[in-house]
Amino acid sequence: MEPTHLFELVIAMFLAIIALHYAAHRLGLPPSVALLTGGALLAFVPGLPAISVDPELVLVIFLPPLLMDGAWAIALARLRRHMIGIASLAVGAVLFTCAVVAVVAHLIFPSLPWAACAALGAIVAPPDAVSARAVLERVKLPRRLQILLEGESLLNDASGLVLFRFAVAAAATGAFSAGEAIGSFFVLALGGAVVGVVVGTAWVKLVRRLGDEYLIIAATVLLGWISYLLGELLHVSGVIATVTTGLIASWHQHTVFSAATRMRGTSFWTVMIFLMEASVFTLIGLSLRDVVERGGGLTTVIATMGLPMLAILVTLVVARFAWVFASDLVIRFCAALGVTRAQPLGAGGATVLSWAGVRGVITLALALSLPEGFPGRDFILATSFAVILGTVLVQGTTLGRVIAWARLVETETERARLTMSQAEVAMVQAQLGTVQSLAYDAEGKLIHPPLLDRYQRRATVIVDYAERTEHYKPVLHAHFDVVLEAVATGRRELIRLHRAGDIDDETLDELERDLDLEELSAISAKA
């Protein structure tokens, strides 16, 4: 395909994304469902060139920024608090699901080598970060379940990738060592974390020196790719490196970003991530044609592989339910013995957590990366696509109803010590102290009365300023200098409350946005 035609196809895909997203909104469907279905239908449009997805390129292009975005938005305090539960899902559930799927696949096809069965299990075991967020952004969950699902989707890719690589190597060499696999996983994870810390720390120091907001935004956009590629270059986990870097950057962005950088950067980043997420689902749909052609046509695929693919999909869902409910029983038992203060999720919470395991780009990329001649490659490809379709179309569309059925409530331990209103009172009181200390001159004369009743006097001051600009300019400059000092004081107090654990990330983000707007308004008024 000529480069110009390829570019035209990319633009056409973006236009299709907008149309499909709009259609999903009008029909009340999850956007991921519309994009995946629309991409699959477009794949069979006569005259449209076949789309061949390079799995390595897909991972390098899409995975780092999407992981970065997830790490940037995650509530770090709750991530630490629920790290054991997240590790249970990201490592334990992936290992268990991989093993169960491998056993069922070997029972269905006894001639299929165990290594190939394990490769299938590793491919379909980890729920996908992009798919999970595409589903979660349309539903309301208690914070504990939200953080468990978000944390799992960030970290389980590393488990799946390690399992997959060992399974492929075992198929090629005929040798496998469980001890070596476990040791390799911890080395890769630890090495990835070290790389992430180094890259994240370097980014913080760089941003503090750059000064130019567009350079800062550009450096931040590249951060995920830099961390991922460096991790892979050093043969450690690029996934863990990217997530670690994202967590560090997220923690420090409140202090190293100016208001203008944060607001402009957030706007650009949001649009970029929207296009990337939508492109992932559309590309998955477009790749259906290649998968079907490899299997000998849609009719042949359904006739020869339909029941085995359905069996693997059901096994996948049942295995996740088994792991989540068994883990919840262990927590309940330990809590009864006084071993832990953690509370069990209950039947409703465990059901929602089990049903939310949606697969996506990682599953497709790993399946497509299987080498030619790999045992059972066509079956693994078809099954992987069936798993993506089944989980996105069925679980993704019904998760809202499952949540409504479960009638979940927020537990007291997950609530922050201060509410939004209480945090705002603390912030405003800190600002008021600064205004009171700066609103009087050395003789004790009030020189900034509009600050005491800003909204009531705003219209009069603006009209008077327009008529007597030169007279009021010095006074108003001093006025907005005090406003900026008050904003800075409020920001420091807000960050102090967050660092002390008195408020959560949502409260911090909401009130910080208000301060950003106030700061930009004051800077604009001084210009």
Side-chain angles (χ1 to χ4, degrees), residues 379-463:
F379 171 68
I380 293 174
L381 274 173
T383 302
S384 300
F385 202 94
V387 164
I388 296 171
L389 281 176
T391 55
V392 172
L393 297 182
V394 178
Q395 293 174 252
T397 55
T398 58
L399 182 60
R401 297 189 187 93
V402 174
I403 293 172
W405 164 83
R407 296 182 179 180
L408 304 173
V409 294
E410 190 74 79
T411 59
E412 199 66 37
T413 55
E414 291 301 314
R415 295 192 178 100
R417 289 195 289 272
L418 296 182
T419 63
M420 177 79 74
S421 299
Q422 291 170 331
E424 194 167 13
V425 166
M427 184 182 70
V428 170
Q429 286 177 339
Q431 289 181 288
L432 181 59
T434 297
V435 172
Q436 288 174 335
S437 66
L438 298 175
Y440 297 87
D441 61 14
E443 288 76 29
K445 179 183 177 182
L446 181 62
I447 58 174
H448 299 301
L451 288 177
L452 303 177
D453 196 7
R454 180 171 56 187
Y455 291 103
Q456 182 178 353
R457 297 176 57 87
R458 183 181 177 93
T460 303
V461 170
I462 290 175
V463 171

Side-chain angles (χ1 to χ4, degrees), residues 175-197:
F176 175 77
S177 170
E180 183 183 350
I182 294 173
S184 176
F185 173 78
F186 283 107
V187 170
L188 291 173
L190 182 60
V194 171
V195 170
V197 170

